[in-house]
Amino acid sequence: MDKDLPKRVVVKLGTSVLTCGSPKLDRSHMVELVRQMARLHQAGVEIILVTSGAIAAGREHLGFPTLADSMASKQMLAAVGQSQLIQVWEQLFNLYGLHVGQILLTRADLDDRERYLNARDTLQALLDHRIIPVINENDAVAIAEIKVGDNDNLSALAALLAQADSLLLLTDQQGLYSADPRNNPDAQLIPQVALIDDSLRALAGGSGSTLGTGGMATKLQAADVAMRAGIEVVVTSGQTEGVIERVCRGEALGTRFLPQGDALDSRKRWILAGPPPCGTLRLDPGAVKALCQSGSSLLAKGICAVEGDFIRGATLTLTDPAGGVIGRGISRYGSTDIARLLGAHSSDIESILGFSYGPAVIHRNDLVVL
Ligand code: GLU
């Protein structure tokens, strides 16, 4: 294998890329994208495809029916369209002697550690057999509460799940611009991003197209998660000739988001990909320093305040005294217990609570510093 090629890549194709802006799947463009992925696969790159377009495919297959603007209509279209979509992918990859395997996920599959590990094993088994995993959200059954909601964020979670080296978000724009290129002729393409901050988020604004769900804002959210897990992210246009191969070969196309630090281990990736935090611990400066500089566990004596109502095992946000987020971790104690332990020494936990789950409130293996 070419040593400069990434080993494992998640390619996310938005609805606007699959339809080329029309109301139908553009099969001639899809075959071109498959050709590139098949060539990379041939060169030894493991490809995972995150595909949108189920709802668009459903509308097309049913002949564009007039439907109520309801959740049930969308779920019906997704149920019809997803089977069409996966058939198209299977047929197109077959042209290159490859098979696809469909994985439909929801937020709930990723929040539960056991289900997350099952999904990870299935992905690995597909890759081991040289089958292309094709992932989408399980739109036909997922309701808002258990949805990731957009395939940008879903693809970042898939990249964490698969421990990919790169995530390629293909869309209908060349990348992230310094202003909205549709109404600002001076807008400049931003070629590289090392850190996503509020000013960059302000640039991204809301969703751009009418067919898909995402926009630059969800792409930034996805990039933020993936970068923190040590995964490189590229956002660029799916219409550029040879785009997937060219990006994988290192050509500077679109906006490249640099990975921050090394790849995280499996449990820490799940802390980022898994359930959203349901509480916050505010730490004192000493604890912030111990976590950020020495990789220590979080002890009760470094916690100044606890917010939220949560049980042991919950994922929490950790902040500095000013409220700035410094990390995320899984708590060994529930919120009522932590409230009684604020500032206490680890050796006093048993006498204060009458029991102990160990000296650390969050063990360093359960903690990701951001
Ligand atoms: N899962 C949706 C679909 O296949 C797309 C979501 C998105 O475009 O972000 O239609």
Side-chain angles (χ1 to χ4, degrees):
M1 176 174 153
D2 192 328
K3 78 173 181 9
D4 294 329
L5 285 171
K7 200 178 154 329
R8 193 172 282 183
V9 180
V10 173
V11 179
K12 183 262 171 175
L13 300 173
T15 304
S16 60
V17 175
L18 300 179
T19 59
C20 294
S22 78
K24 295 181 173 184
L25 294 180
D26 186 327
R27 288 161 179 78
S28 64
H29 188 53
M30 288 168 78
V31 79
E32 166 51 23
L33 295 166
V34 168
R35 186 189 64 80
Q36 296 176 44
M37 289 187 271
R39 274 171 53 132
L40 285 166
H41 191 263
Q42 180 69 33
V45 181
E46 291 172 325
I47 304 273
I48 295 158
L49 180 58
V50 175
T51 181
S52 301
I55 294 176
R59 268 203 194 95
E60 177 187 344
H61 191 65
L62 296 179
F64 304 98
T66 310
L67 298 169
D69 184 18
S70 66
M71 185 76 180
S73 304
K74 288 208 181 84
Q75 293 194 305
M76 178 190 87
L77 290 172
V80 173
Q82 182 61 36
S83 56
Q84 295 301 314
L85 190 61
I86 198 72
Q87 276 180 48
V88 174
W89 288 125
E90 172 70 16
Q91 282 162 4
L92 298 183
F93 276 101
N94 270 185
L95 298 172
Y96 297 90
L98 293 166
H99 284 297
V100 303
Q102 167 173 271
I103 303 185
L104 299 178
L105 295 170
T106 62
R107 173 86 255 170
D109 297 310
L110 300 166
D111 286 0
D112 182 85
R113 173 100 178 130
E114 206 170 304
R115 282 159 78 177
Y116 175 91
L117 293 176
N118 285 338
R120 188 190 69 176
D121 290 349
T122 308
L123 256 180
Q124 186 59 48
L126 290 167
L127 294 170
D128 288 347
H129 289 83
R130 304 186 51 74
I131 296 168
I132 310 288
V134 176
I135 301 178
N136 195 2
E137 183 128 43
N138 198 351
D139 293 313
V141 297
I143 48 154
E145 289 70 35
I146 59 156
K147 277 188 93 147
V148 177
D150 67 86
N151 278 8
D152 295 323
N153 279 293
L154 181 70
S155 65
L157 301 178
L160 263 66
L161 190 68
Q163 207 173 354
D165 313 293
S166 314
L167 167 62
L168 183 48
L169 298 172
L170 293 185
T171 180
D172 54 1
Q173 304 199 22
Q174 298 298 327
L176 182 65
Y177 281 85
S178 58
D180 189 338
R182 288 167 300 186
N183 48 34
N184 193 327
D186 297 330
Q188 301 278 327
L189 181 75
I190 303 174
Q192 192 162 300
V193 173
L195 182 78
I196 295 175
D197 56 15
D198 288 344
S199 59
L200 209 62
R201 282 188 201 100
L203 275 183
S207 173
S209 75
T210 45
L211 269 181
T213 311
M216 271 305 158
T218 51
K219 286 181 182 57
L220 281 194
Q221 288 163 7
D224 200 20
V225 171
M227 289 162 85
R228 291 178 194 285
I231 299 166
E232 178 192 66
V233 181
V234 175
V235 175
T236 192
S237 165
Q239 308 301 337
T240 308
E241 173 109 30
V243 60
I244 304 177
E245 283 186 283
R246 287 167 67 189
V247 169
C248 286
R249 292 193 187 278
E251 199 175 316
L253 286 176
T255 305
R256 195 174 287 260
F257 297 82
L258 307 179
Q260 294 171 352
D262 297 333
L264 291 176
D265 71 29
S266 161
R267 186 161 173 80
K268 297 200 174 193
R269 286 200 310 275
W270 178 70
I271 293 172
L272 284 180
C278 51
T280 303
L281 300 180
R282 197 165 75 234
L283 315 188
D284 70 18
V288 172
K289 192 163 167 228
L291 260 59
C292 297
Q293 293 176 11
S294 324
S296 310
S297 295
L298 174 64
L299 305 178
K301 71 174 161 50
I303 306 175
C304 312
V306 51
E307 278 165 33
D309 188 11
F310 53 86
I311 55 169
R312 160 181 157 75
T315 300
L316 305 180
T317 299
L318 308 178
T319 75
D320 61 21
V325 175
I326 59 148
R328 204 186 253 203
I330 300 174
S331 181
R332 300 214 160 166
Y333 293 87
S335 50
T336 357
D337 295 337
I338 296 177
R340 294 173 66 197
L341 292 175
L342 296 180
H345 276 279
S346 300
S347 52
D348 296 332
I349 292 181
E350 180 118 33
S351 61
I352 297 172
L353 298 180
F355 61 87
S356 169
Y357 293 125
V361 171
I362 300 185
H363 190 271
R364 61 191 157 95
N365 292 345
D366 295 335
L367 195 152
V368 184
V369 174
L370 300 176

